[in-house]
Amino acid sequence: MATGSRVSKLKDMFETNAEEQVDQRRQRSFEKYQTSTALSEESNLTKLSHLQLDPAGDEAMLSDLKKSGSDHIFSNARKFMALFKTGGLDSVILEIQSELKRFQDTVVHIAVTGESGTGKSSFINALRGVSDTDMEAAGIGEMETTMEPTKYKYPNRVRVAIWDLPGIGTPNFQAATYLERVEFDRYDLFLIVSTTRFKENDMFLAKAIQERGKKFYFIRNKIDQDLKSKERRSMSQYDQKEALRELYKSSLDNLTKGGIESPQIFLISCWYMEKFHFEALLEVLEQGLPDLKRRLFSYSLPNVTSKVIDRKKVVMLSEIWKDAFYSAVAAAAPVPGLTTAYNITSLVTKLSQCRADFGLDDNSLRRLANRMRNRPEELKLVVQSTFGVEVSAGLIQNELSKLSGPVGKLQKAVKYLPFVRQVTAGKSTYTATYSLLKTAIEEMAEDAKRVIVTAFSEN
């Protein structure tokens, strides 16, 4: 590809990812640059086109990358190495841009349905990490309060939504026409909520969903009340694990007799999300979605256990090499007045979103405190990391200035990712950006664990 074409592509990358985030002064500088001579950028971009690959070395590189312990972070290295080998740096840039665009366009729609009195609204609120009294909460009521499908967005990820569907078999939503009335094709998966026994309409709906090839899960809610009832009846012989097994078997028998094959059943309590099957439910929902939807949904999950936080951390870490690569390309083909601003501004956006996803921003802490009946100030005290406490351009600039050169596993990873090595002029930017993001995410994950321990232990 001609150098001029590559220049245009790199400018497009800057415009797509930074134009809306930089101030007018920087934008004017960029526009001035567009009309100026291209000699300096031609010289810089010439540096991006000289690397020759060893055709026999790819598998060895990938094998060594795996041994280094970085393969989970560079999980799609094989794909990008193949792209680089056939199309050069331009192909890698285009694919990363394309992935970013696809992710930005990704939405997740989860449908929740059940009869009135089953705790459906409380379940929707629990999935979104808000309390029943929150301004953003789904309305609570013993009578059927949902007259039309109602959308509730996740507070920190508005492209993820839970839909509260009217109960099947109500006068306005008869079973025979239910799926058409609620716009079946809109949803990625369905959650059928009940207490005690699942009813005939629940099974009818499950069979109809299965016939149309979508996933559905049975949620037996208010399991804490069932266990308390069993404890009162059992007196000194009460065994919670055995009681849970009996309740699960009861639901399994109920659904199997109704003609549901191998139903997936989860016993949960919205008051005790860290107990019973709530964590398992979140993991199954996450794994039941295709790749981009899975990633988006994992970011939105409420932090109910350390395992949920760890899964979220792994997903974040697997993507940060792309942020670092963008920074490296920006440094290798610098745009006066914009390159540094692009990196700092994009890092502010990235880290602010990570902080919110880990539930460390003020709004998230307020919601958790409200749900667990804590005070937000008590939760803030256990947040210790630099970016867990605050994200700002000044802090990022300060942390970047402390970082120099690749170290440890990252050094080996950079060595075996040729499309990173080719951006020679931006290699130090790559390693500094990557190291900052990796450390920040790992530290914020530990903050998030301390927060939930504090919130749940005081409840």
Side-chain angles (χ1 to χ4, degrees), residues 365 375-384 450-451 454:
L365 292 174
R375 289 187 301 151
E377 294 76 15
E378 295 171 344
L379 303 182
K380 286 183 181 181
L381 288 175
V382 300
V383 179
Q384 299 174 5
R450 285 190 290 270
V451 166
T454 301

Side-chain angles (χ1 to χ4, degrees), residues 205-333:
L205 177 59
K207 292 174 184 176
I209 295 169
Q210 190 170 39
E211 287 174 1
R212 299 195 184 197
K214 290 204 175 183
K215 296 183 179 180
F216 60 92
Y217 307 92
F218 291 99
I219 313 300
R220 180 162 173 173
N221 199 7
K222 301 184 181 181
I223 203 68
D224 55 313
Q225 295 181 16
D226 293 329
L227 290 173
K228 285 181 180 178
S229 177
K230 277 185 170 291
E231 185 177 14
R232 284 193 296 269
R233 293 196 301 268
S234 301
M235 302 299 290
S236 60
Q237 299 179 6
Y238 175 73
D239 182 309
Q240 187 181 91
K241 288 185 178 179
E242 181 59 31
L244 277 171
R245 279 194 289 270
E246 291 176 3
L247 291 168
Y248 181 86
K249 187 176 185 303
S250 172
S251 294
L252 180 61
D253 292 343
N254 169 212
L255 291 168
T256 302
K257 289 177 182 178
I260 307 298
E261 296 182 7
S262 304
Q264 296 194 66
I265 308 164
F266 297 89
L267 313 182
I268 65 114
S269 166
C270 298
W271 287 104
Y272 302 99
M273 294 167 61
E274 75 280 14
K275 296 183 179 180
F276 314 123
H277 295 168
F278 208 105
E279 180 192 311
L281 170 64
L282 295 179
E283 185 171 2
V284 167
L285 296 183
E286 187 179 349
Q287 295 305 314
L289 293 166
D291 180 53
L292 292 177
K293 289 178 182 283
R294 183 187 310 133
R295 194 199 323 165
L296 179 60
F297 184 65
S298 72
Y299 291 151
S300 71
L301 293 177
N303 296 328
V304 295
T305 67
S306 292
K307 288 183 179 179
V308 171
I309 294 169
D310 282 336
R311 290 205 309 273
K312 192 178 293 190
K313 178 182 72 174
V314 168
V315 175
M316 289 182 183
L317 289 175
S318 71
E319 294 297 311
I320 60 176
W321 73 266
K322 297 174 186 176
D323 300 276
F325 181 66
Y326 263 146
S327 298
V329 172

Side-chain angles (χ1 to χ4, degrees), residues 347-357 361 391-392 444:
L347 285 173
V348 169
T349 302
K350 176 78 175 183
L351 288 172
S352 295
Q353 185 64 69
C354 290
R355 183 169 177 251
D357 289 339
D361 63 302
V391 175
S392 70
M444 284 193 280

